[in-house]
Structures are given as structure tokens and as C-alpha cells.
């Protein structure tokens, strides 16, 4: 089994656990795409807070406590993203793979290497 298949399988197992968690609490009634996308944005905001006033160097060298807090926020982002994807019947692994292929066309390595410019400016 290749890494992509293992990741997809792990994601599917996580989604099943998450759906059971939500069902046990009768929370699906609150999980419209609108609400899930707003919750996702809120969690991304909480993630950003951990980096907001840090220098570039500080953001790369988090303390153990800060790294754990960031890890938890990343998990929250993943959870809401997965719930939203499931609600909209989006295969996250396939969507990311498709997007990576599209970006490879937009940002050919020979033109984009070392540049932060948008593809329209390459």
C-alpha cells in the first residue's frame, strides 16, 4: 500500500470516528456547510493567534508548550475541514491531488522556483 492509500485510509478512519462522535451528541443538526465553514474560519483564526506577533524566526522555533497548542489548533482545523468535506461529499485526498496537479501547471518549476509571485506574473 502506498503512502497516499494509507493516508486516505487513515482519513477515512478518522472521518468514521468523527461522525460517530457527532452522532452520539446529536450535533449533526448544527453542521450545515455554512456553520462548518464559519467554525473552520474561527479555528484558523485561533491558529493564527499563536503566530501573530512572532518574528519569522520565532515562528519556526516554538516552545514545547506553544507547539502543543498549535498542534491542537491544527487538529481543530482538520476536524472542521473533514466535517465540511463529508457534508459536501468532497474527497479531500482527491481534491488535494487535483489541486496539486492544477498548481503544477500554473507554477512550472522552471519559472516559479524561488519566487513568491502569483502565476499570472511569472
Amino acid at each position: 500500500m502506498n503512502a497516499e492509500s494509507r493516508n486516505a485510509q487513515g482519513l477515512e478512519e478518522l472521518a468514521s470516528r468523527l461522525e460517530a462522535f457527532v452522532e452520539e451528541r446529536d450535533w449533526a443538526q448544527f453542521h450545515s456547510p455554512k456553520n462548518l465553514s464559519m467554525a473552520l474560519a474561527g479555528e484558523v483564526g485561533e491558529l493564527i493567534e499563536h503566530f501573530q506577533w512572532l518574528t519569522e524566526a520565532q515562528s519556526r522555533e516554538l516552545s514545547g508548550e506553544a507547539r502543543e497548542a498549535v498542534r491542537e489548533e491544527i487538529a481543530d482545523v482538520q476536524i472542521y475541514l473533514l466535517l465540511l468535506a463529508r457534508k459536501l461529499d468532497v474527497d479531500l485526498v482527491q481534491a488535494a491531488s487535483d489541486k496539486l496537479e492544477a498548481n503544477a501547471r500554473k507554477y512550472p518549476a522552471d519559472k516559479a522556483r524561488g519566487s513568491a509571485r502569483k502565476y499570472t506574473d511569472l
Side-chain angles (χ1 to χ4, degrees), residues 27-121:
W27 286 350
Q29 63 183 314
F30 308 115
H31 289 178
S32 68
K34 177 196 78 74
N35 287 352
L36 290 170
S37 65
M38 292 173 72
L40 176 60
E43 293 302 336
V44 169
E46 289 180 22
L47 175 61
I48 290 168
E49 285 180 29
H50 292 282
F51 297 99
Q52 186 171 7
W53 304 114
L54 301 182
T55 65
E56 292 287 329
Q58 290 170 328
S59 73
R60 291 183 177 93
E61 298 183 19
L62 299 175
S63 69
E65 186 177 308
R67 182 175 293 277
E68 181 57 28
V70 165
R71 180 180 177 272
E72 289 181 12
E73 296 305 339
I74 290 171
D76 286 339
V77 168
Q78 173 76 357
I79 285 168
Y80 280 116
L81 182 61
L82 185 52
L83 284 169
L84 179 59
R86 297 291 280 215
K87 183 65 68 176
L88 296 175
D89 197 28
V90 171
D91 179 325
L92 279 176
V93 174
Q94 187 61 56
S97 181
D98 293 347
K99 184 64 175 179
L100 184 58
E101 288 177 21
N103 284 345
R105 289 188 298 275
K106 286 182 182 178
Y107 296 94
D110 62 326
K111 292 182 179 179
R113 186 178 324 281
S115 173
R117 291 181 299 186
K118 188 173 178 177
Y119 67 93
T120 54
D121 297 328

Side-chain angles (χ1 to χ4, degrees), residues 3-16:
E4 188 173 312
S5 295
R6 280 193 306 275
N7 287 340
Q9 182 180 2
L11 198 57
E12 190 59 38
E13 289 173 16
L14 178 61
S16 294

